[in-house]
Amino acid sequence: MNFLEERILKDGIVKEGNVLKVDSFLNHQMDIDLFNQIGEEFKKRFEGKKIDKILTIEASGIGIACIVAQHFHVPVVFAKKAKSINLEGEMYVAEVESFTHKTKNQVIVAQKFLNEGEHVLLIDDFLANGCALQGLIQLVNQAGAEVEGIGIVIEKGFQTGGRVIRNMGYQLESLAIVESMDSEKNEIHFREQ
Amino acid sequence: MNFLEERILKDGIVKEGNVLKVDSFLNHQMDIDLFNQIGEEFKKRFEGKKIDKILTIEASGIGIACIVAQHFHVPVVFAKKAKSINLEGEMYVAEVESFTHKTKNQVIVAQKFLNEGEHVLLIDDFLANGCALQGLIQLVNQAGAEVEGIGIVIEKGFQTGGRVIRNMGYQLESLAIVESMDSEKNEIHFREQ
């Protein structure tokens, strides 16, 4: 069991409906020392890959991406989830449909911050059905840049997102993959990696 | 002129309507080395203050707050701008009215992440009229915690937010205070500090 799985067992809370709450250290309150361990681990897993830039999505991906970026010495760009008045000029826009809510959302990045030929590492906190991630991949493709790898903190292995992404040949590294959860016993089972 | 003012002059773009675009290094693409310089500077300016926690607000405050937190060795909590399904349990909610848009917004944080007696440093990227900041102060007060200081990257000195906050006795440190801007000449004048 790795450092992250141990932390999830210690501080994660399983709620009904396959909800895993990790808001005490990952996506509301943020443990920066843990984020640095996450950064070190991604650095190892993407050893030897050329990374020019990290792309993430607001809001909870941003903090992790910024700390991880220190281990790669690259800038971070975060995609926005809806059109903002501060984002003027040419933009790449990906439309993605939410599996859960059946709503359509836009994922947006300014064109000047994603360039043809750039090697991009995608970082996010959670992967479940993967709608946000699909939007990020679409943005990178629109730019003619290349997805060099995908680093996820927690993957819900019982949902489809991870399998789809791996089936398409991307190097997807999830530091913890939850295979099943039991809210009554507050039990979490991880996939052996 | 400090490192940040120099960077703003180099890469900032002045747009009509007193808009300062710094999205190439601060709030869309993020220069992590610059964020570390910002962290060092805040550490100096709040020297000797007891800081238990950094509180910021989504989305563009998060990255800066996480890097700054490394210089204070404290966790970061980010307030959310609208009620989210992932935020269950008891919450502090501040209602703030936008100066610009006349709309009412909620700023929300889980009660368990802001505790009575904690010394809190508020961090954000921009201060103009200060609605977001007023919401954060209100949350800290609701918790019975204490605002130990406020660190802002760029303050628009020609708007009212900074004066109001200083008038109330808070130690507000803005690394660059823009006194005036001219979009035709792309000129920016900073307040001497």
Side-chain angles (χ1 to χ4, degrees), chain A residues 78-126:
Chain A
F78 68 90
K80 308 206 176 190
K81 278 177 181 161
K83 190 164 173 143
S84 153
I85 52 153
N86 292 320
L87 272 179
E88 59 171 29
E90 297 297 309
M91 297 178 284
Y92 295 117
V93 179
E95 195 159 82
V96 291
E97 191 170 337
S98 162
F99 234 76
T100 320
H101 308 288
K102 310 285 180 207
T103 52
K104 285 194 179 172
N105 298 301
Q106 288 188 326
V107 180
I108 299 169
V109 74
Q111 292 188 2
K112 59 184 171 176
F113 300 136
L114 265 189
N115 301 303
E116 194 176 336
E118 274 183 334
H119 300 257
V120 180
L121 176 62
L122 306 182
I123 294 285
D124 207 1
D125 56 343
F126 262 98

Side-chain angles (χ1 to χ4, degrees), chain A residues 2-5 37-49 51 64 68 72 120-127 133 137 147-157 161-163 165-167 169-178 191-193:
Chain A
N2 70 24
F3 67 96
L4 181 69
E5 293 164 333
Q37 281 184 283
I38 289 169
E40 269 176 42
E41 183 62 28
F42 282 140
K43 180 67 185 165
K44 266 187 228 161
R45 295 199 184 195
F46 296 106
E47 193 68 60
K49 290 233 167 177
I51 307 289
I64 299 159
V68 169
F72 289 88
V120 180
L121 176 62
L122 306 182
I123 294 285
D124 207 1
D125 56 343
F126 262 98
L127 172 60
L133 191 53
I137 292 171
V147 176
E148 202 58 55
I150 301 165
I152 297 291
V153 181
I154 302 175
E155 177 183 336
K156 288 180 165 173
R163 193 162 51 228
I165 296 292
R166 290 187 182 93
N167 280 346
Y170 292 107
Q171 184 186 350
L172 166 61
E173 299 286 344
S174 299
L175 301 192
I177 303 177
V178 176
R191 185 182 301 172
E192 294 268 352
Q193 293 201 64

Side-chain angles (χ1 to χ4, degrees), chain A residues 5-76:
Chain A
E5 293 164 333
E6 283 172 7
R7 184 63 178 271
I8 293 167
L9 287 188
K10 180 171 164 277
D11 291 328
I13 297 166
V14 182
K15 297 277 180 180
E16 266 183 63
N18 276 327
V19 172
L20 174 59
K21 282 178 69 72
V22 288
D23 59 354
S24 67
F25 59 94
L26 193 69
N27 52 15
H28 187 20
Q29 182 165 254
M30 298 180 287
D31 179 335
I32 307 301
D33 292 335
L34 179 76
F35 286 13
N36 267 309
Q37 281 184 283
I38 289 169
E40 269 176 42
E41 183 62 28
F42 282 140
K43 180 67 185 165
K44 266 187 228 161
R45 295 199 184 195
F46 296 106
E47 193 68 60
K49 290 233 167 177
K50 177 171 162 44
I51 307 289
D52 299 314
K53 184 169 282 182
I54 287 176
L55 178 66
T56 187
I57 186 163
E58 65 179 8
S60 46
I62 298 174
I64 299 159
C66 282
I67 301 293
V68 169
Q70 294 181 137
H71 298 264
F72 289 88
H73 308 287
V74 295
V76 177

Side-chain angles (χ1 to χ4, degrees), chain B residues 2-193:
Chain B
N2 70 24
F3 67 96
L4 181 69
E5 293 164 333
E6 283 171 7
R7 183 64 178 269
I8 293 167
L9 286 188
K10 180 171 164 278
D11 292 328
I13 297 167
V14 183
K15 297 278 179 180
E16 267 184 62
N18 275 329
V19 172
L20 174 60
K21 281 177 71 72
V22 288
D23 59 354
S24 67
F25 59 95
L26 192 69
N27 53 14
H28 187 19
Q29 182 165 253
M30 298 180 286
D31 179 336
I32 307 301
D33 292 336
L34 179 76
F35 286 14
N36 267 309
Q37 281 183 283
I38 289 169
E40 269 175 42
E41 182 63 27
F42 282 140
K43 180 67 185 165
K44 264 186 233 162
R45 295 199 185 194
F46 297 107
E47 193 67 60
K49 290 232 166 177
K50 176 170 161 47
I51 306 289
D52 299 314
K53 186 168 281 180
I54 287 176
L55 178 65
T56 186
I57 186 163
E58 63 180 7
S60 45
I62 298 175
I64 299 159
C66 282
I67 300 293
V68 169
Q70 294 181 135
H71 298 262
F72 289 87
H73 306 288
V74 295
V76 176
V77 174
F78 68 90
K80 308 205 177 193
K81 278 178 181 161
K83 190 165 175 142
S84 153
I85 51 156
N86 292 320
L87 272 181
E88 59 171 30
E90 297 297 310
M91 297 179 284
Y92 296 116
V93 180
E95 194 160 82
V96 291
E97 191 170 340
S98 163
F99 234 78
T100 322
H101 308 289
K102 311 284 179 207
T103 53
K104 286 196 178 172
N105 299 301
Q106 288 188 326
V107 180
I108 299 168
V109 74
Q111 292 189 3
K112 60 184 170 178
F113 300 136
L114 266 189
N115 302 303
E116 194 176 334
E118 273 184 332
H119 300 258
V120 180
L121 175 63
L122 306 182
I123 295 286
D124 207 359
D125 56 343
F126 262 97
L127 173 60
N129 287 312
C131 297
L133 191 54
Q134 289 149 25
L136 293 181
I137 292 171
Q138 192 185 140
L139 292 176
V140 173
N141 288 340
Q142 285 181 31
E146 193 165 337
V147 176
E148 202 57 55
I150 300 166
I152 297 292
V153 182
I154 302 176
E155 177 182 336
K156 287 179 166 176
F158 51 87
Q159 288 182 253
T160 60
R163 193 163 50 228
V164 170
I165 296 293
R166 290 187 182 94
N167 280 347
M168 291 192 291
Y170 292 106
Q171 184 186 349
L172 165 61
E173 299 286 345
S174 299
L175 301 191
I177 302 177
V178 176
E179 280 295 12
S180 64
M181 299 189 284
D182 184 324
S183 63
E184 285 185 14
K185 300 180 190 163
N186 201 41
E187 275 185 4
I188 303 168
H189 299 282
F190 297 106
R191 184 181 302 172
E192 294 268 351
Q193 293 200 63

